[in-house]
């Protein structure tokens, strides 16, 4: 078994996703040029410490303007149509603004978010809430989300959900198969199962690393975030 990896390894995930997309390996925009606009959308995996790390990493990278929205319990279909979610926890942050966390948010339709942020790159952290969804339905929801991103002229990195001891390996593998089919090469898929492991010995709910009793977010999360951002800014 691989050595346990803490939630701070999300920094590695995001660096991998960015590299796949080919955005941060490119030269930094000149001062007179428009910044690269990045939109991050996700579920509970990004509405906790992982979302703060991801958001912080991107903001530390020169030439980026970042907007983040992450809401517990959401799936791609929710983001395509938009929903009022008065009881859902969320993490949100706009360019040049402080983070917002709380309960209750209006989820804007994807088309509106893409328009208001003028996104060049969309980082998607969704999929965990579709494990028990019928294959045909989840493929359709994922494809619809990617269609919307493509229609807006943006590129996409999809961070697949991390595995955990409470997940059924077979169903989780089927979820990743469907993600691959639905994305159809239009969105770079990062398989976080190969990077983050959440064994039963860590306790918690077996899904959210935040709940693990033997691993807690700490100061080293910020340090790693800054280190990864420095590597990206330097063109690796």
């Amino acid at each position: 078994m691989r050595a346990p990896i803490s939630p701070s390894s999300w920094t590695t995930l995001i660096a991998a996703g960015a590299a796949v997309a080919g955005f941060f390996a490119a030269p930094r925009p000149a001062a007179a040029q428009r910044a690269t606009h990045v939109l991050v959308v996700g579920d509970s995996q990004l509405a906790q410490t992982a979302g703060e790390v991801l958001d912080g990493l991107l903001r530390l990278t020169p030439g980026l303007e970042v907007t983040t929205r992450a809401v517990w319990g959401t799936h791609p279909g929710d983001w395509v149509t938009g929903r009022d979610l008065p009881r859902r926890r969320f993490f949100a942050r706009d360019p040049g603004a402080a983070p917002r966390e709380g309960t209750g948010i209006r989820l804007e339709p994807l088309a509106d978010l893409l328009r208001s942020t003028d996104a060049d790159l969309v980082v998607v952290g969704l999929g965990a809430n579709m494990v028990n969804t019928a294959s045909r339905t989840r493929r359709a929801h994922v494809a619809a989300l990617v269609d919307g991103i493509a229609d807006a002229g943006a590129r996409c990195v999809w961070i697949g959900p991390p595995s955990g001891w409470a997940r059924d390996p077979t169903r989780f593998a089927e979820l990743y198969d469907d993600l691959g089919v639905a994305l159809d090469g239009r969105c770079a898929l990062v398989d976080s199962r190969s990077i983050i492991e959440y064994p039963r010995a860590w306790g918690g709910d077996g899904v959210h690393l935040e709940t693990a009793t033997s691993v807690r977010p700490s100061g080293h999360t910020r340090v790693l975030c800054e280190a990864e951002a420095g590597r990206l800014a330097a063109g690796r």
Side-chain angles (χ1 to χ4, degrees), residues 95 106 193:
R106 179 183 178 276
R193 294 174 300 174

Side-chain angles (χ1 to χ4, degrees), residues 14-38:
I14 304 311
V20 170
F23 265 85
F24 304 131
R28 301 294 107 203
Q33 292 181 324
R34 172 184 173 280
T36 296
H37 294 183
V38 181

Side-chain angles (χ1 to χ4, degrees), residues 78-158:
D78 295 327
W79 293 89
V80 171
T81 61
R83 288 181 63 188
D84 284 320
L85 300 170
R87 298 183 180 180
R88 298 285 181 85
R89 291 168 56 190
F90 71 89
F91 172 84
R93 192 174 184 186
D94 295 319
R100 293 182 289 118
E101 297 180 76
T103 301
I105 188 172
R106 179 183 178 276
L107 198 63
E108 298 176 66
L110 176 69
D112 292 349
L113 270 174
L114 289 167
R115 190 178 303 111
S116 64
T117 60
D118 197 15
D120 301 297
L121 171 66
V122 182
V123 179
V124 182
L126 295 169
N129 296 307
M130 298 192 299
V131 173
N132 297 317
T133 301
S135 175
R136 182 176 179 179
T137 300
R138 62 189 176 203
R139 287 187 185 186
H141 285 171
V142 171
L145 189 74
V146 177
D147 285 344
I149 294 171
D151 289 346
R155 296 172 69 183
C156 174
V157 176
W158 195 293

Side-chain angles (χ1 to χ4, degrees), residues 154-177:
R155 296 172 69 183
C156 174
V157 176
W158 195 293
I159 308 296
S163 58
W165 62 262
R167 299 290 195 188
D168 181 296
T170 300
R171 288 189 176 182
F172 219 57
E174 292 170 350
L175 167 66
Y176 266 90
D177 288 343

Side-chain angles (χ1 to χ4, degrees), residues 2 10 13 159-163 176 190-197:
R2 297 186 301 274
W10 273 91
L13 262 181
I159 308 296
S163 58
Y176 266 90
V190 179
D191 187 343
S192 63
R193 294 174 300 174
S194 64
I195 302 175
I196 296 177
E197 185 167 276

